[in-house]
């Protein structure tokens, strides 16, 4: 092989190698940097309240009892008090509640926090309210009602509205 042929072959092989080498994919070189950031929130104590109706049914002059459920949902570990208003009847107090009927006639009843119906449920914190601590779920509290016997009032429908207040 002559020197000229050798150089041509070597040069052709070198050029071919460069072309092939250039076409072969190589891993890309990359660099990374990182940072961090804080995430925060402030959870405010909050409560929600709802209640079911208390229906005594047909009153016939004998003791009538009924219940209602006050449902309280408060943020976890939030202490609360549930108070019940006197109602809307003229002259009503938390110890002498009344439903109003025909011609403003009154049918007396009471609300209690215990099933024996001995502990009056009012609205003075530390005296006659019901306490609890929120757990993030609904907590149902039973209200026990009683209409006393021997109330011979005018026939008709008697109603009242009680406001349940949650203080937290």
């Amino acid at each position: 092989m002559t020197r000229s042929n050798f150089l041509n072959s070597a040069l052709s092989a070198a050029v071919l190698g460069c072309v092939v080498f250039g076409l072969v994919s190589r891993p890309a070189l990359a660099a990374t940097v990182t940072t961090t950031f804080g995430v925060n929130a402030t959870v405010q104590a909050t409560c929600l309240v709802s209640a079911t109706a208390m229906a005594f049914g047909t009153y016939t002059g004998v003791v009538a009892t009924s219940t209602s459920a006050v449902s309280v949902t408060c943020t976890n570990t939030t202490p609360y008090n549930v108070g019940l208003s006197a109602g809307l009847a003229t002259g009503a107090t938390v110890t002498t509640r009344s439903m109003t009927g025909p011609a403003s006639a009154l049918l007396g009843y009471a609300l209690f926090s215990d099933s024996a119906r001995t502990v009056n449920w009012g609205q003075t914190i530390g005296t006659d309210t019901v306490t609890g601590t929120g757990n993030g779920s609904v907590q149902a509290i039973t209200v026990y009602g009683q209409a006393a016997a021997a109330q011979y009032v005018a026939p008709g429908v008697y109603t009242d509205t009680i406001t349940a207040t949650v203080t937290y």
Side-chain angles (χ1 to χ4, degrees):
M1 177 182 269
T2 65
R3 185 171 204 259
S4 163
N5 284 343
F6 177 75
L7 285 176
N8 282 341
S9 291
L11 186 58
S12 295
V15 170
L16 182 60
C18 286
V19 169
V20 170
F21 183 75
L23 295 178
V24 174
S25 64
R26 295 178 297 208
L29 299 177
T32 60
V33 294
T34 63
T35 189
T36 61
F37 61 93
V39 178
N40 66 62
T42 300
V43 176
Q44 183 174 349
T46 189
C47 293
L48 303 172
V49 64
S50 64
T52 62
M54 179 177 288
F56 285 104
T58 302
Y59 179 78
T60 60
V62 298
V63 172
T65 61
S66 186
T67 60
S68 170
V70 174
S71 296
V72 179
T73 306
C74 291
T75 48
N76 196 25
T77 71
T78 300
Y80 63 85
N81 280 276
V82 180
L84 301 179
S85 70
L88 302 178
T90 302
T93 69
V94 296
T95 56
T96 58
R97 292 179 172 98
S98 294
M99 292 176 270
T100 304
S104 298
L106 300 175
L107 178 63
Y109 71 99
L111 299 177
F112 303 96
S113 59
D114 66 318
S115 60
R117 293 175 170 80
T118 59
V119 180
N120 185 67
W121 194 335
Q123 59 189 357
T124 304
I125 294 173
T127 302
D128 57 5
T129 59
V130 172
T131 63
T133 301
N135 62 11
S137 297
V138 175
Q139 295 174 303
I141 305 166
T142 303
V143 180
Y144 299 91
Q146 180 173 303
Q151 299 182 71
Y152 298 103
V153 295
V157 175
Y158 287 74
T159 63
D160 194 18
T161 301
I162 297 294
T163 299
T165 302
V166 176
T167 304
Y168 59 95

